[in-house]
Amino acid sequence: MMGIASKSLPTELEKSLPTRSLPWLRFIKYLVVAVLVNAALWSLALGYLKKTKPIYTSELILNVAGGGQGVNVNLPGVGQAITSSTSAFGSTADPRENYKLMAMGSTILSNAAKSLDISEQDFNQPKIKIINNTTMMEIAITGKTPEQSQKKAWAIYNALSYRLAILRLNEQGQRNKAIQQALDSAQERLTNAQQRLSSYKAESGLNSSDQITSLITNIEILRKQRAELQAQEQQVRDRKDQLSKTLGLSPQEAADALLLQNDQQFQKGLKDYSDSTLELKALLENRGENYPDVIQLREKQATALLILLERGRILLNKKLDQLTLERLSLDNSNGSGVKRGELFQELVLLNAEHQGLL
Protein backbone atom coordinates (compact mmCIF):
# COMPACT_ATOMS: atom_id res chain seq x y z
CA MET A 1 0.00 0.00 0.00
CA MET A 2 2.78 2.32 0.78
CA GLY A 3 4.49 1.56 -2.47
CA ILE A 4 1.48 2.41 -4.51
CA ALA A 5 1.06 5.75 -2.74
CA SER A 6 4.62 6.72 -3.40
CA LYS A 7 4.19 6.24 -7.12
CA SER A 8 1.01 8.32 -7.49
CA LEU A 9 2.39 11.48 -5.70
CA PRO A 10 4.54 12.83 -8.54
CA THR A 11 1.63 12.52 -10.94
CA GLU A 12 -0.59 14.86 -8.82
CA LEU A 13 2.22 17.41 -8.41
CA GLU A 14 2.78 17.52 -12.11
CA LYS A 15 -0.87 18.33 -12.73
CA SER A 16 -0.90 21.18 -10.19
CA LEU A 17 2.25 23.00 -11.59
CA PRO A 18 1.90 25.45 -14.62
CA THR A 19 3.15 24.29 -17.94
CA ARG A 20 6.21 25.95 -19.57
CA SER A 21 4.26 27.22 -22.60
CA LEU A 22 1.76 29.47 -20.60
CA PRO A 23 3.81 32.85 -20.66
CA TRP A 24 3.99 32.85 -24.45
CA LEU A 25 0.25 32.47 -24.70
CA ARG A 26 -0.35 35.48 -22.44
CA PHE A 27 2.08 37.64 -24.47
CA ILE A 28 0.33 36.77 -27.70
CA LYS A 29 -3.05 37.58 -26.12
CA TYR A 30 -1.87 41.01 -24.90
CA LEU A 31 -0.32 41.79 -28.27
CA VAL A 32 -3.54 40.98 -30.08
CA VAL A 33 -5.55 43.22 -27.69
CA ALA A 34 -3.11 46.12 -28.15
CA VAL A 35 -3.22 45.83 -31.94
CA LEU A 36 -7.00 45.82 -31.91
CA VAL A 37 -7.23 48.86 -29.60
CA ASN A 38 -4.65 50.80 -31.66
CA ALA A 39 -6.47 49.91 -34.85
CA ALA A 40 -9.74 51.15 -33.34
CA LEU A 41 -8.18 54.47 -32.29
CA TRP A 42 -6.59 55.05 -35.67
CA SER A 43 -9.86 54.18 -37.37
CA LEU A 44 -11.71 56.74 -35.25
CA ALA A 45 -9.05 59.42 -35.87
CA LEU A 46 -8.93 58.82 -39.61
CA GLY A 47 -12.71 58.75 -39.75
CA TYR A 48 -12.91 62.09 -37.86
CA LEU A 49 -10.30 63.68 -40.12
CA LYS A 50 -12.07 62.37 -43.20
CA LYS A 51 -15.51 63.59 -42.18
CA THR A 52 -14.48 66.91 -40.47
CA LYS A 53 -14.16 69.88 -42.81
CA PRO A 54 -10.79 71.74 -42.67
CA ILE A 55 -10.52 75.16 -41.03
CA TYR A 56 -8.05 77.74 -42.36
CA THR A 57 -6.56 80.59 -40.34
CA SER A 58 -5.16 83.86 -41.68
CA GLU A 59 -2.95 86.09 -39.56
CA LEU A 60 -2.06 89.77 -39.78
CA ILE A 61 0.67 91.54 -37.85
CA LEU A 62 0.10 95.29 -37.44
CA ASN A 63 2.82 97.74 -36.44
CA VAL A 64 1.39 100.58 -34.35
CA ALA A 65 3.58 103.62 -35.00
CA GLY A 66 4.63 105.31 -31.78
CA GLY A 67 7.23 107.90 -32.69
CA GLY A 68 6.72 111.50 -31.56
CA GLN A 69 6.87 114.46 -33.94
CA GLY A 70 8.01 118.00 -33.39
CA VAL A 71 8.47 121.31 -35.19
CA ASN A 72 10.96 124.02 -34.22
CA VAL A 73 10.68 127.48 -35.82
CA ASN A 74 13.20 130.22 -34.98
CA LEU A 75 12.64 133.73 -36.35
CA PRO A 76 15.58 136.16 -35.84
CA GLY A 77 14.54 139.20 -33.87
CA VAL A 78 11.09 137.76 -33.19
CA GLY A 79 11.42 134.60 -31.16
CA GLN A 80 11.20 130.85 -31.21
CA ALA A 81 8.20 128.54 -31.50
CA ILE A 82 8.33 124.86 -30.63
CA THR A 83 5.62 122.23 -30.97
CA SER A 84 5.96 118.53 -30.23
CA SER A 85 3.87 115.41 -29.77
CA THR A 86 5.10 112.67 -27.48
CA SER A 87 4.89 108.97 -28.22
CA ALA A 88 1.77 107.18 -27.02
CA PHE A 89 3.97 104.35 -25.74
CA GLY A 90 5.73 106.72 -23.33
CA SER A 91 2.78 106.61 -20.92
CA THR A 92 1.51 103.76 -18.77
CA ALA A 93 -1.42 103.07 -21.14
CA ASP A 94 -0.76 100.93 -24.23
CA PRO A 95 -2.69 102.16 -27.31
CA ARG A 96 -2.75 98.62 -28.67
CA GLU A 97 -5.21 97.69 -25.93
CA ASN A 98 -7.61 100.27 -27.37
CA TYR A 99 -7.10 98.90 -30.87
CA LYS A 100 -7.72 95.38 -29.56
CA LEU A 101 -11.03 96.37 -27.96
CA MET A 102 -12.09 98.21 -31.10
CA ALA A 103 -11.21 95.28 -33.41
CA MET A 104 -13.18 92.86 -31.25
CA GLY A 105 -16.15 95.22 -30.92
CA SER A 106 -19.45 94.78 -32.67
CA THR A 107 -19.01 97.89 -34.84
CA ILE A 108 -15.81 96.70 -36.54
CA LEU A 109 -17.03 93.11 -36.92
CA SER A 110 -20.38 94.24 -38.32
CA ASN A 111 -18.72 96.51 -40.90
CA ALA A 112 -16.24 93.79 -41.86
CA ALA A 113 -19.04 91.21 -42.28
CA LYS A 114 -21.10 93.60 -44.40
CA SER A 115 -18.14 94.20 -46.69
CA LEU A 116 -18.04 90.42 -47.43
CA ASP A 117 -21.86 89.98 -47.57
CA ILE A 118 -21.90 87.46 -44.74
CA SER A 119 -23.64 87.48 -41.38
CA GLU A 120 -21.86 88.57 -38.25
CA GLN A 121 -22.40 85.11 -36.71
CA ASP A 122 -20.64 83.43 -39.63
CA PHE A 123 -17.81 85.94 -39.54
CA ASN A 124 -16.47 84.52 -36.25
CA GLN A 125 -14.62 86.35 -33.51
CA PRO A 126 -10.98 87.15 -34.27
CA LYS A 127 -8.15 86.32 -31.90
CA ILE A 128 -5.93 89.29 -31.18
CA LYS A 129 -2.58 89.02 -29.42
CA ILE A 130 -0.35 91.85 -28.29
CA ILE A 131 3.32 91.01 -28.80
CA ASN A 132 5.26 92.07 -25.73
CA ASN A 133 8.27 94.39 -25.93
CA THR A 134 7.26 95.50 -29.43
CA THR A 135 4.86 97.93 -31.06
CA MET A 136 3.11 95.10 -32.95
CA MET A 137 -0.17 93.25 -32.53
CA GLU A 138 -1.33 90.03 -34.21
CA ILE A 139 -4.84 89.42 -35.62
CA ALA A 140 -5.90 85.87 -36.47
CA ILE A 141 -9.28 84.71 -37.90
CA THR A 142 -10.54 81.42 -39.30
CA GLY A 143 -12.42 80.57 -42.51
CA LYS A 144 -13.74 77.61 -44.46
CA THR A 145 -11.30 78.22 -47.29
CA PRO A 146 -7.92 79.91 -47.50
CA GLU A 147 -9.42 82.66 -49.62
CA GLN A 148 -12.26 83.25 -47.14
CA SER A 149 -9.95 83.48 -44.13
CA GLN A 150 -7.69 85.89 -45.99
CA LYS A 151 -10.64 88.06 -47.02
CA LYS A 152 -11.89 88.12 -43.40
CA ALA A 153 -8.49 89.25 -42.18
CA TRP A 154 -8.32 92.07 -44.73
CA ALA A 155 -11.93 93.01 -43.98
CA ILE A 156 -11.10 93.44 -40.28
CA TYR A 157 -8.02 95.47 -41.19
CA ASN A 158 -9.94 97.74 -43.56
CA ALA A 159 -12.82 98.23 -41.08
CA LEU A 160 -10.38 99.05 -38.27
CA SER A 161 -8.42 101.46 -40.49
CA TYR A 162 -11.63 103.19 -41.57
CA ARG A 163 -12.81 103.55 -37.98
CA LEU A 164 -9.44 104.94 -36.86
CA ALA A 165 -9.45 107.39 -39.76
CA ILE A 166 -12.88 108.69 -38.70
CA LEU A 167 -11.73 109.07 -35.10
CA ARG A 168 -8.57 110.88 -36.21
CA LEU A 169 -10.59 113.25 -38.38
CA ASN A 170 -12.94 114.04 -35.49
CA GLU A 171 -10.05 114.63 -33.12
CA GLN A 172 -8.22 116.74 -35.68
CA GLY A 173 -11.37 118.79 -36.21
CA GLN A 174 -11.68 119.45 -32.48
CA ARG A 175 -8.00 120.39 -32.29
CA ASN A 176 -8.32 122.70 -35.27
CA LYS A 177 -11.36 124.33 -33.67
CA ALA A 178 -9.48 124.88 -30.40
CA ILE A 179 -6.43 126.18 -32.27
CA GLN A 180 -8.59 128.55 -34.32
CA GLN A 181 -10.23 129.87 -31.16
CA ALA A 182 -6.81 130.41 -29.60
CA LEU A 183 -5.62 132.18 -32.76
CA ASP A 184 -8.68 134.40 -32.83
CA SER A 185 -8.18 135.30 -29.18
CA ALA A 186 -4.48 136.00 -29.76
CA GLN A 187 -5.31 138.09 -32.82
CA GLU A 188 -7.79 140.12 -30.81
CA ARG A 189 -5.27 140.69 -28.00
CA LEU A 190 -2.62 141.64 -30.56
CA THR A 191 -4.95 144.13 -32.21
CA ASN A 192 -5.80 145.69 -28.85
CA ALA A 193 -2.12 145.84 -27.91
CA GLN A 194 -1.26 147.51 -31.21
CA GLN A 195 -3.99 150.06 -30.67
CA ARG A 196 -2.78 150.81 -27.14
CA LEU A 197 0.80 151.07 -28.41
CA SER A 198 -0.25 153.49 -31.13
CA SER A 199 -2.17 155.58 -28.60
CA TYR A 200 0.77 155.57 -26.22
CA LYS A 201 3.16 156.63 -28.98
CA ALA A 202 0.84 159.45 -29.94
CA GLU A 203 0.54 160.65 -26.33
CA SER A 204 4.16 160.16 -25.23
CA GLY A 205 5.91 161.20 -28.43
CA LEU A 206 8.00 158.02 -28.60
CA ASN A 207 8.02 157.30 -32.30
CA SER A 208 11.55 156.02 -32.94
CA SER A 209 13.77 153.26 -31.64
CA ASP A 210 16.36 155.83 -30.49
CA GLN A 211 13.82 157.44 -28.18
CA ILE A 212 12.90 154.06 -26.75
CA THR A 213 16.59 153.20 -26.26
CA SER A 214 17.17 156.51 -24.49
CA LEU A 215 14.13 155.88 -22.29
CA ILE A 216 15.41 152.42 -21.36
CA THR A 217 18.83 153.89 -20.51
CA ASN A 218 17.24 156.52 -18.27
CA ILE A 219 15.14 153.86 -16.58
CA GLU A 220 18.26 151.82 -15.89
CA ILE A 221 20.02 154.87 -14.42
CA LEU A 222 17.04 155.64 -12.23
CA ARG A 223 16.91 152.01 -11.12
CA LYS A 224 20.56 152.21 -10.08
CA GLN A 225 19.99 155.48 -8.24
CA ARG A 226 16.99 153.99 -6.49
CA ALA A 227 19.11 151.06 -5.29
CA GLU A 228 21.74 153.48 -3.98
CA LEU A 229 19.10 155.56 -2.18
CA GLN A 230 17.63 152.43 -0.63
CA ALA A 231 21.06 151.47 0.68
CA GLN A 232 21.60 154.99 2.02
CA GLU A 233 18.14 154.99 3.63
CA GLN A 234 18.92 151.70 5.34
CA GLN A 235 22.19 153.08 6.66
CA VAL A 236 20.60 156.29 8.01
CA ARG A 237 17.75 154.32 9.59
CA ASP A 238 20.19 151.98 11.35
CA ARG A 239 22.16 154.94 12.73
CA LYS A 240 18.97 156.67 13.87
CA ASP A 241 17.63 153.55 15.58
CA GLN A 242 20.94 152.88 17.32
CA LEU A 243 21.21 156.48 18.62
CA SER A 244 17.58 156.46 19.75
CA LYS A 245 18.19 153.23 21.63
CA THR A 246 21.33 154.66 23.27
CA LEU A 247 19.60 157.87 24.41
CA GLY A 248 16.39 156.11 25.38
CA LEU A 249 14.37 158.71 23.47
CA SER A 250 12.47 158.80 20.25
CA PRO A 251 13.34 161.42 17.60
CA GLN A 252 10.21 163.39 18.54
CA GLU A 253 11.18 163.39 22.22
CA ALA A 254 14.67 164.61 21.27
CA ALA A 255 13.10 167.46 19.29
CA ASP A 256 10.91 168.32 22.28
CA ALA A 257 14.00 168.41 24.54
CA LEU A 258 15.80 170.79 22.17
CA LEU A 259 12.72 173.01 22.06
CA LEU A 260 12.62 173.19 25.85
CA GLN A 261 16.36 173.87 26.00
CA ASN A 262 16.09 176.90 23.70
CA ASP A 263 13.23 178.52 25.63
CA GLN A 264 14.62 181.05 28.16
CA GLN A 265 11.50 181.12 30.34
CA PHE A 266 11.49 177.33 30.62
CA GLN A 267 15.21 177.31 31.43
CA LYS A 268 14.67 179.96 34.15
CA GLY A 269 11.89 177.90 35.69
CA LEU A 270 14.09 174.80 35.46
CA LYS A 271 16.90 176.66 37.24
CA ASP A 272 14.52 177.78 40.02
CA TYR A 273 13.26 174.25 40.45
CA SER A 274 16.77 172.81 40.50
CA ASP A 275 18.00 175.39 43.04
CA SER A 276 15.02 174.76 45.29
CA THR A 277 15.62 171.01 45.06
CA LEU A 278 19.30 171.39 45.99
CA GLU A 279 18.57 173.76 48.89
CA LEU A 280 15.89 171.42 50.21
CA LYS A 281 18.21 168.47 50.03
CA ALA A 282 20.93 170.35 51.92
CA LEU A 283 18.47 171.62 54.54
CA LEU A 284 17.03 168.17 55.20
CA GLU A 285 20.41 166.93 56.27
CA ASN A 286 20.14 169.00 59.50
CA ARG A 287 16.37 169.48 59.98
CA GLY A 288 13.25 167.43 60.00
CA GLU A 289 10.28 167.48 57.65
CA ASN A 290 8.16 169.78 59.85
CA TYR A 291 10.58 172.66 60.25
CA PRO A 292 9.06 175.95 59.03
CA ASP A 293 11.95 176.73 56.67
CA VAL A 294 11.74 173.18 55.24
CA ILE A 295 7.98 173.53 54.68
CA GLN A 296 8.51 176.95 53.09
CA LEU A 297 11.24 175.65 50.80
CA ARG A 298 9.14 172.62 49.78
CA GLU A 299 6.26 174.94 48.82
CA LYS A 300 8.70 176.98 46.75
CA GLN A 301 9.89 173.83 44.99
CA ALA A 302 6.31 172.73 44.25
CA THR A 303 5.45 176.18 42.87
CA ALA A 304 8.52 176.14 40.61
CA LEU A 305 7.59 172.63 39.36
CA LEU A 306 4.04 173.70 38.52
CA ILE A 307 5.30 176.74 36.61
CA LEU A 308 7.82 174.54 34.80
CA LEU A 309 5.22 171.93 33.81
CA GLU A 310 2.78 174.57 32.63
CA ARG A 311 5.43 176.21 30.47
CA GLY A 312 6.36 172.83 28.99
CA ARG A 313 2.72 172.10 28.21
CA ILE A 314 2.42 175.41 26.38
CA LEU A 315 5.60 174.82 24.38
CA LEU A 316 4.97 171.19 23.43
CA ASN A 317 1.17 171.42 23.28
CA LYS A 318 0.80 168.31 25.43
CA LYS A 319 0.63 167.52 29.13
CA LEU A 320 3.91 166.78 30.94
CA ASP A 321 4.66 164.98 34.20
CA GLN A 322 7.72 165.13 36.41
CA LEU A 323 9.19 161.86 35.04
CA THR A 324 8.92 163.00 31.44
CA LEU A 325 10.39 166.35 32.38
CA GLU A 326 13.42 164.69 33.92
CA ARG A 327 13.96 162.58 30.77
CA LEU A 328 13.80 165.66 28.53
CA SER A 329 15.92 167.92 30.72
CA LEU A 330 19.50 168.80 29.75
CA ASP A 331 21.81 169.57 32.67
CA ASN A 332 24.42 172.08 31.43
CA SER A 333 26.07 172.64 34.78
CA ASN A 334 28.99 170.29 34.24
CA GLY A 335 29.14 170.29 30.43
CA SER A 336 27.48 166.86 30.04
CA GLY A 337 24.25 168.52 29.01
CA VAL A 338 25.97 170.16 26.07
CA LYS A 339 27.26 166.84 24.83
CA ARG A 340 23.86 165.18 25.35
CA GLY A 341 22.22 168.09 23.56
CA GLU A 342 24.49 167.47 20.58
CA LEU A 343 23.35 163.84 20.50
CA PHE A 344 19.72 165.00 20.63
CA GLN A 345 20.38 167.33 17.73
CA GLU A 346 22.08 164.54 15.74
CA LEU A 347 19.08 162.26 16.36
CA VAL A 348 16.70 164.93 15.08
CA LEU A 349 18.83 165.50 11.98
CA LEU A 350 19.07 161.75 11.26
CA ASN A 351 15.32 161.46 11.56
CA ALA A 352 14.80 164.36 9.13
CA GLU A 353 17.30 162.82 6.67
CA HIS A 354 15.58 159.45 6.91
CA GLN A 355 12.18 161.01 6.23
CA GLY A 356 13.65 162.78 3.21
CA LEU A 357 14.97 159.49 1.78
CA LEU A 358 11.64 157.73 2.04
Side-chain angles (χ1 to χ4, degrees):
M1 291 295 293
M2 295 180 63
I4 295 173
S6 62
K7 289 181 180 180
S8 63
L9 181 59
T11 303
E12 293 296 332
L13 293 173
E14 289 176 359
K15 289 180 180 181
S16 61
L17 295 174
T19 60
R20 298 177 59 184
S21 61
L22 184 58
W24 291 99
L25 292 175
R26 289 180 178 177
F27 176 75
I28 293 173
K29 183 175 65 174
Y30 292 155
L31 180 62
V32 171
V33 172
V35 170
L36 292 176
V37 172
N38 195 17
L41 292 175
W42 276 101
S43 298
L44 292 174
L46 292 175
Y48 176 78
L49 294 175
K50 185 176 181 180
K51 292 181 180 181
T52 303
K53 295 181 180 181
I55 298 176
Y56 301 93
T57 302
S58 292
E59 297 179 352
L60 289 176
I61 296 180
L62 305 181
N63 183 17
V64 181
Q69 299 178 353
V71 177
N72 188 348
V73 179
N74 191 0
L75 300 177
V78 177
Q80 187 178 16
I82 300 175
T83 179
S84 62
S85 60
T86 58
S87 173
F89 293 94
S91 61
T92 56
D94 191 342
R96 294 176 298 177
E97 293 290 347
N98 298 332
Y99 294 164
K100 179 179 178 179
L101 293 175
M102 292 175 60
M104 297 179 67
S106 59
T107 302
I108 301 298
L109 296 180
S110 177
N111 293 336
K114 288 181 181 179
S115 65
L116 298 179
D117 293 331
I118 60 178
S119 63
E120 188 174 348
Q121 291 76 12
D122 295 337
F123 193 83
N124 300 332
Q125 186 81 10
K127 296 181 179 179
I128 302 177
K129 178 182 178 183
I130 295 176
I131 303 175
N132 296 329
N133 300 323
T134 65
T135 59
M136 299 180 181
M137 57 185 297
E138 179 183 349
I139 301 177
I141 191 168
T142 60
K144 297 180 180 179
T145 63
E147 293 78 7
Q148 187 187 45
S149 64
Q150 187 175 15
K151 289 180 180 179
K152 286 183 178 181
W154 280 110
I156 292 177
Y157 172 77
N158 293 330
L160 179 61
S161 299
Y162 179 74
R163 183 60 180 171
L164 291 177
I166 293 177
L167 293 177
R168 290 191 183 99
L169 288 176
N170 292 336
E171 183 180 3
Q172 188 64 37
Q174 293 178 358
R175 288 185 178 180
N176 292 338
K177 183 178 179 180
I179 292 173
Q180 186 62 42
Q181 291 177 352
L183 290 176
D184 294 341
S185 177
Q187 181 65 36
E188 183 179 358
R189 291 196 300 268
L190 178 60
T191 303
N192 294 333
Q194 289 176 343
Q195 292 177 354
R196 291 196 301 268
L197 179 60
S198 300
S199 300
Y200 177 76
K201 286 182 177 180
E203 294 175 358
S204 62
L206 297 175
N207 298 319
S208 64
S209 59
D210 294 338
Q211 291 177 329
I212 297 176
T213 303
S214 177
L215 179 61
I216 294 174
T217 303
N218 293 334
I219 292 175
E220 182 63 24
I221 294 174
L222 293 175
R223 187 192 65 79
K224 186 180 297 185
Q225 292 177 353
R226 180 174 179 270
E228 294 175 353
L229 289 175
Q230 286 179 343
Q232 184 178 358
E233 183 268 336
Q234 180 67 33
Q235 183 180 5
V236 173
R237 182 174 57 184
D238 293 342
R239 289 172 55 196
K240 181 194 71 171
D241 293 343
Q242 183 62 37
L243 184 57
S244 178
K245 183 178 179 181
T246 302
L247 295 175
L249 296 174
S250 65
Q252 182 60 43
E253 290 175 336
D256 293 343
L258 292 176
L259 179 61
L260 296 177
Q261 184 187 21
N262 294 327
D263 184 71
Q264 295 181 359
Q265 186 176 350
F266 180 84
Q267 291 300 318
K268 183 180 180 302
L270 179 61
K271 184 177 182 304
D272 294 340
Y273 173 74
S274 299
D275 293 342
S276 300
T277 302
L278 292 176
E279 292 177 6
L280 180 61
K281 183 178 180 182
L283 191 61
L284 286 174
E285 292 179 356
N286 300 320
R287 290 177 173 82
E289 293 287 343
N290 295 323
Y291 274 77
D293 51 353
V294 172
I295 295 175
Q296 183 180 3
L297 191 57
R298 191 180 295 280
E299 293 177 354
K300 180 181 178 182
Q301 180 193 30
T303 303
L305 179 60
L306 291 175
I307 295 174
L308 188 63
L309 292 177
E310 180 62 21
R311 182 58 182 173
R313 184 190 65 80
I314 295 173
L315 291 175
L316 302 180
N317 196 22
K318 62 182 179 181
K319 186 177 180 180
L320 295 179
D321 54 20
Q322 186 176 357
L323 181 61
T324 304
L325 185 62
E326 292 177 357
R327 294 177 62 245
L328 299 180
S329 298
L330 295 175
D331 187 5
N332 298 327
S333 59
N334 57 359
S336 60
V338 177
K339 189 175 297 184
R340 184 174 173 85
E342 293 177 355
L343 295 177
F344 282 12
Q345 186 176 2
E346 182 179 359
L347 178 59
V348 173
L349 292 176
L350 287 174
N351 183 63
E353 184 178 359
H354 179 254
Q355 294 297 326
L357 292 174
L358 292 178

